């Protein structure tokens, strides 16, 4: 990696592609002092939604080609709004929905089927069979190697399913022409016209196939899942030069791709969470990460041990994290809008929920695709309990916001237990970000439920910011130390709004007990999905 340059008065432009579950966004950042993390100002952005495909209950798929086209279109539109061309952009970083799995032909870059999305549960029966036959009944058998339990969530089982159920994938494997990758692998491959087939350590750590200690694919894990090693991309760090956008891509050719990092790790980096600090991102799901530094902390309480980042090349120090993932957070608001018609816009949920004092005893467990950390119950399904004739749509809306906050408390309680056993850190505050964190009522509920101060930055879209930081490091504009230097100094990005608890301890524990009782009622409700085509 090139050394970071000295400060100049020249404006430097860095692009970030934020490829999420429901949309793809490009943000253009400008800075005249690229070594100062707080100086990166978002000057333009463009966002495009993509189709959500639900071919069967519990299934969720995306058109990989649509995602690629949207990434290019969003980048062109954002750069146009910022009045910059490809020659003006120093580099681009990429952050993405993790675990979502794409299969394509190496020879021509053709996607072989729809991408299987991270929250898809079609592999439920396969997971149960795998745990029984391969793991001797222990879903956590491979956690010491990869940090993860066997679950529908992670990429390896999605790859196994595609090899069993998609003829085109099998044909490509037999011909030695198969590429498997997560979204960043797919986008880099397409943007470089097949010249670069890579995955970064954060995305690789979500497959179940990478060893956390060596940061390399594990032959035995690949064999256990029947995934051919030759179909997997090269593992690289989150910040180095991965290639340049191909000249054939209109108005983007020549831009250096220098950052790749999974979305939740990117938000943690964007929040500049140092060792011992945690953040919670409120998007389609809810994701809490705690930076554990160079220490790999095995979880005893249902959390995931995962990568935080590795910046500047595979020879640099890896940083690890504990993570708790909630499948359905902001997605429950979309469900109220799209499926029930309770609101017209997602942002309407706050006003509707503010119209009532509380949820009137209603508990809403949105286990639409099971429950993730710390419970890991694939058999759970959504329930609403405590209904009376008094209840109206405002109470349902309030219960939905409560559910997001309670699921986050489930994760935080597990995190507290793990770090108490393995480290000297204490969680005294929680940093928050993501689209749903703009909901002031939700953030106040979250503070009340946790009994902690919740800190929201002025720029809640920290996922894109983290990708920009990674790209800047990869391009030699700054170093990892620069990101965390002067972390407490005031800047545009560092301005915060703090939410402090307003409820009593007794009320907090009473409400949490009611939530836990409702969760118990969501278990053992799943039925096997019918056989459907890919």
């Amino acid at each position: 990696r090139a050394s970071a340059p000295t400060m100049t008065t020249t404006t430097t432009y860095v692009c970030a592609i934020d490829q999420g579950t429901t949309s793809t966004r490009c943000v253009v950042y400008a800075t005249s002092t690229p070594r100062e993390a707080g100086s990166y100002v978002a000057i333009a952005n463009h966002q495009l939604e993509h189709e959500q495909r639900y071919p069967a209950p519990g299934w969720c798929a995306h058109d990989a080609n649509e995602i690629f086209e949207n990434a290019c279109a969003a980048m062109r539109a954002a750069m146009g709004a910022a009045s910059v061309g490809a020659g003006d952009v120093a580099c681009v970083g990429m952050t993405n929905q993790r675990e979502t799995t794409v299969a394509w032909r190496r020879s021509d870059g053709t996607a072989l089927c729809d991408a299987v999305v991270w929250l898809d549960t079609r592999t439920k029966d396969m997971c149960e069979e795998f745990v029984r036959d391969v793991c001797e009944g222990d879903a956590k058998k491979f956690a010491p190697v990869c940090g993860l339990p066997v679950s529908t969530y992670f990429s390896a089982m999605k790859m196994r399913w595609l090899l069993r159920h998609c003829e085109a994938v099998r044909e490509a494997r037999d011909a030695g022409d198969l590429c498997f990758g997560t979204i960043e692998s797919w986008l880099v491959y397409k943007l470089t016209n097949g010249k670069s087939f890579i995955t970064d350590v954060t995305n690789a750590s979500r497959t179940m196939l990478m060893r956390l200690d060596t940061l390399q694919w594990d032959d035995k894990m690949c064999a256990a899942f029947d995934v051919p090693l030759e179909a997997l991309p090269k593992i690289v760090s989150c910040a180095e030069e991965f290639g340049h956008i191909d000249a054939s891509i209109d108005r983007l050719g020549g831009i250096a791709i220098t950052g790749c990092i999974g979305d939740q790790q990117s938000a943690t980096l964007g929040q500049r969470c140092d060792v011992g600090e945690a953040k919670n991102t409120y998007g389609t799901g809810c994701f809490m990460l705690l930076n554990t530094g160079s220490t790999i902390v095995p979880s005893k309480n249902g959390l995931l041990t995962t990568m935080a980042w590795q910046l500047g090349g595979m020879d640099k120090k890896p940083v690890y994290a504990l993570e708790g993932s909630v499948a359905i957070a902001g997605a429950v608001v979309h469900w109220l809008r799209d499926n029930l018609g309770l609101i017209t816009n997602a942002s309407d949920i706050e006003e509707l929920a503010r119209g009532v004092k509380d949820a009137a005893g209603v508990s809403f467990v949105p286990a639409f695709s099971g429950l993730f950390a710390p419970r890991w119950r694939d058999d759970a399904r959504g329930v609403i309990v405590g209904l009376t004739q008094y209840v109206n749509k405002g109470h349902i809306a309030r219960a939905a916001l409560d559910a997001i906050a309670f699921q986050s408390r489930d994760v935080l309680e597990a995190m507290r237990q793990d770090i108490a056993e393995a480290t000297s850190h204490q969680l005294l505050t929680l940093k928050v970000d993501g689209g749903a964190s703009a909901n002031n009522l939700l953030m106040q509920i979250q503070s009340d439920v946790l009994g902690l101060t919740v800190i929201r930055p002025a720029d809640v879209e920290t996922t894109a910011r983290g990708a920009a930081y990674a790209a800047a490091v990869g391009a030699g504009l700054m170093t990892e130390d620069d990101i965390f230097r002067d972390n407490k100094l005031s800047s545009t990005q560092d301005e915060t709004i703090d939410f402090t608890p307003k409820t009593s301890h007794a009320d907090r524990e009473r409400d949490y007990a009611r939530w836990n009782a409702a969760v118990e009622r969501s278990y053992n409700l799943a039925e096997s999905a019918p056989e459907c085509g890919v």
Side-chain angles (χ1 to χ4, degrees), residues 98 146-148 202 205-206 212 264-265 268 273 276-279 288-299 303-309 318-324 415 418-419:
R98 305 165 305 167
C146 64
L148 310 173
T202 64
S205 74
R206 313 298 293 190
L212 285 177
Q264 302 314 317
Q265 285 86 348
T268 309
C273 287
E277 294 184 327
K279 70 88 201 175
M288 192 180 299
L289 265 75
L290 169 72
N291 183 337
T292 62
S294 59
T295 304
I296 300 174
V297 178
S299 177
L303 300 181
L304 309 177
T305 304
T306 193
M307 292 298 302
W309 51 74
V319 178
Y320 296 92
L322 280 172
E323 176 177 342
M415 198 168 278
D418 276 340
I419 63 174

Side-chain angles (χ1 to χ4, degrees), residues 89 207 228 413 434 488:
V89 177
T207 61
E413 292 295 337
K488 304 302 181 183

Side-chain angles (χ1 to χ4, degrees), residues 14-19 23-29 42-48 70-81 89 91-93 252 255 464:
V14 176
C15 286
I17 296 173
D18 180 0
Q19 202 300 296
S23 68
T24 304
R25 168 200 312 263
C26 179
V27 182
V28 179
Y29 292 90
I43 60 170
N45 75 85
H46 192 78
Q47 183 175 11
L48 294 168
N70 282 1
C72 294
M75 195 170 175
R76 282 190 285 263
M79 288 167 55
V89 177
C91 54
V92 59
L252 302 179
I255 298 176

